[in-house]
Amino acid sequence: MSTGPGAASVPAPDHDDPVSPTPRKPSMFASLKVRNYRLFFMGQVVSNIGTWMQRIAQDWLVLSLTGSSAAVGITTALQFLPMLLFGLYGGVLVDRLRKRPTLLVTQTAMALTALFLAVLTLTGHVQVWHVYVAAFAMGLATVVDNPARQSFVSELVGRDQLQNAVSLNSANFQSARLVGPAVAGLMITGVGTGWAFLFNGLSFVAPLTGLLLMRSRDLHAVERAPRGKGQLREGLHYVAGRPQLIWTIVLVGFVGTFGYNFPVVLSAFADDVFRAGAGTYSLFNTLMAVGTLAGALLAARRGTARLRLLIAAALAFGVLEVVAAIVPGLWLFALLMVPIGVFSMTVNVTANTTIQMSTDPAMRGRVMALYMMVFLGGSPVGAPIVGWITDTYGARVGFAAGGAIAALAAAVIGLVLARVGNLRLSVGWHHGHPQVRFVPRERREELAPAA
């Protein structure tokens, strides 16, 4: 059943946050007590490892077939292009359909695509255009699968445990990021890329089985949008009329477009700045994965998803990137990857939860599709820009520029939301520690001495 319009559209003071009205902190794995979510989570554990394996194998296969890094870039672009072109339409479709049957279809389509590529590779008939077609087909399935999976989480656990479940999903994905590429490397070296594709195709058996074993009666009922004209426009108007949604999406757009270009910048640091090679590049990515995993688990312990946390995390993320860009030593730079990973995941989880909990369930598919389109579509736009800056002025300038833009966006959007919410910045001391927060402007008038 619909819970009515989205949550209040301006940030509230600390004691009355619209996103999380209850300060109760759940245990780190609280949502795993829900049987349906547990089945979903376990299926994603296996599938995410397969997804990371396919990403590595796909890039390696294209590079081995063509010897061209540009061809690898084309493959990546084809996989994200459907989300840019059709993402909003996918959200409209998701709002009309039941999520579990929709996921059964999309996950099956993705499994068949991976198996198709596995057969061609193992039989020695694969050509680069086959990989292009498979990447585009996987992207088409993602157009519907991504918003369906994101919005289905609230049906599995309900509003009270949504923050915890979103955080555990992120921890799940980041754990697979640590395991999948390593297994893919061993498999590619030992038996060939075709077997990595085969593993990914078969890994979809786990989430499909989990979906089939779920109890329909335990799902939290959500009102579906009826079929009608103008639903895409309706979704855009819905977001535009709620500052909490539109500014969160704008912030994620800036951070994702300019701050998340790690493959471009970290490879340049490993090769050009520190002259250390591929092993050091792998170390940077591993330490960042450790940080993102820690950030996801820390988010799972929090019972709230506050806008001030989102702004602060985005600001800290940008500042840390600038700091990392200017540190002279390799090991200090490498160690900074951990807190950068923590704050990048805090931004990701907090934004995701804020949007889901502030959106009417009947609109959630369209809103999440817009969010994912901005989040995933930013890198193909920002990567060439940051790459040009890096090539022209050096890796340090490229990294610092991306971080500075992310930090500036966080600061400006924080001030905009404070102004919209009629808040002011308050600086003081609390239990012997400095405290910076936004409080209602009316409070200053209440505390002013009488004339």
Side-chain angles (χ1 to χ4, degrees):
M1 180 179 293
S2 172
T3 56
S9 53
V10 295
D14 294 346
H15 63 277
D16 186 22
D17 193 277
V19 178
S20 294
T22 57
R24 179 177 57 88
K25 288 188 177 181
S27 66
M28 185 176 291
F29 303 103
S31 52
L32 288 176
K33 296 176 182 177
V34 180
R35 180 181 181 274
N36 281 348
Y37 179 74
R38 190 163 61 247
L39 289 169
F40 178 82
F41 182 89
M42 295 306 296
Q44 292 301 309
V45 168
V46 180
S47 182
N48 283 336
I49 291 175
T51 296
W52 278 107
M53 290 176 65
Q54 173 141 338
R55 287 187 182 185
I56 301 299
Q58 179 177 274
D59 291 347
W60 187 260
L61 176 61
V62 171
L63 192 62
S64 63
L65 288 172
T66 65
S68 169
S69 297
V72 177
I74 291 172
T75 308
T76 302
L78 286 171
Q79 192 154 337
F80 286 103
L81 185 61
M83 181 63 74
L84 288 173
L85 296 177
F86 311 118
L88 292 176
Y89 295 98
V92 172
L93 190 61
V94 166
D95 279 337
R96 294 175 181 172
L97 302 174
R98 289 187 298 156
K99 307 300 185 296
R100 185 160 63 136
T102 300
L103 287 171
L104 285 170
V105 173
T106 58
Q107 296 277 298
T108 300
M110 296 166 82
L112 292 175
T113 302
L115 292 174
F116 164 77
L117 204 53
V119 170
L120 289 174
T121 306
L122 290 173
T123 58
H125 293 96
V126 68
Q127 298 179 38
V128 69
W129 70 269
H130 293 143
V131 186
Y132 289 164
V133 170
F136 189 76
M138 195 73 77
L140 282 175
T142 303
V143 167
V144 177
D145 184 80
N146 218 316
R149 273 191 300 107
Q150 296 286 337
S151 55
F152 187 50
V153 174
S154 63
E155 296 187 27
L156 293 171
V157 300
R159 180 183 176 87
D160 291 345
Q161 300 205 58
L162 182 59
Q163 159 93 6
N164 182 259
V166 169
S167 303
L168 288 181
N169 284 349
S170 299
N172 187 332
F173 189 73
Q174 296 305 322
S175 299
R177 182 181 178 184
L178 291 172
V179 176
V183 176
L186 292 174
M187 189 171 287
I188 291 169
T189 303
V191 293
T193 55
W195 294 97
F197 296 136
L198 180 62
F199 181 92
N200 185 42
L202 296 178
S203 73
F204 284 96
V205 172
L208 288 170
T209 302
L211 289 167
L212 291 171
L213 291 176
M214 288 178 185
R215 296 171 182 161
S216 298
R217 66 178 181 273
D218 292 340
L219 294 175
H220 294 256
V222 171
E223 179 181 337
R224 285 182 286 147
R227 184 179 180 86
K229 294 182 179 180
Q231 290 180 321
L232 176 57
R233 185 171 59 252
E234 180 187 9
L236 294 174
H237 287 167
Y238 180 88
V239 172
R242 290 163 173 77
Q244 180 163 314
L245 294 179
I246 187 64
W247 288 113
T248 297
I249 292 174
V250 169
L251 177 57
V252 167
F254 274 102
V255 173
T257 300
F258 298 102
Y260 279 11
N261 295 293
F262 300 117
V264 174
V265 177
L266 296 186
S267 59
F269 264 89
D271 189 35
D272 299 332
V273 177
F274 298 120
R275 309 288 182 182
T280 300
Y281 174 57
S282 177
L283 174 65
F284 293 160
N285 281 279
T286 299
L287 290 173
M288 184 167 292
V290 170
T292 54
L293 177 58
L297 292 175
L298 288 172
R301 285 190 61 84
R302 287 192 295 270
T304 59
R306 300 178 185 272
L307 273 176
R308 69 170 184 266
L309 174 62
L310 174 62
I311 300 296
L315 184 62
F317 170 77
V319 170
L320 280 170
E321 284 198 341
V322 175
V323 171
I326 62 178
V327 297
L330 185 154
W331 286 107
L332 181 56
F333 178 86
L335 290 176
L336 282 171
M337 295 301 103
V338 176
I340 287 175
V342 170
F343 284 109
S344 71
M345 184 52 60
T346 302
V347 171
N348 190 345
V349 171
T350 307
N352 189 313
T353 310
T354 297
I355 289 173
Q356 291 212 47
M357 296 185 72
S358 303
T359 303
D360 189 307
M363 302 289 296
R364 191 168 285 145
R366 279 164 282 182
V367 175
M368 289 307 299
L370 177 62
Y371 167 75
M372 295 307 300
M373 187 178 73
V374 171
F375 182 65
L376 296 177
S379 290
V381 175
I385 298 174
V386 175
W388 176 82
I389 295 173
T390 300
D391 287 341
T392 306
Y393 301 102
R396 293 190 184 278
V397 176
F399 204 17
I405 292 173
L408 180 62
V412 171
I413 290 173
L415 292 175
V416 168
L417 287 172
R419 185 175 182 83
V420 170
N422 196 31
L423 306 177
R424 66 178 179 86
L425 187 67
S426 171
V427 181
W429 290 84
H430 181 70
H431 297 307
H433 299 286
Q435 185 180 63
V436 179
R437 60 176 182 163
F438 287 106
V439 298
R441 291 184 182 276
E442 291 79 1
R443 183 175 299 179
R444 177 169 55 187
E445 298 173 2
E446 294 172 2
L447 296 178

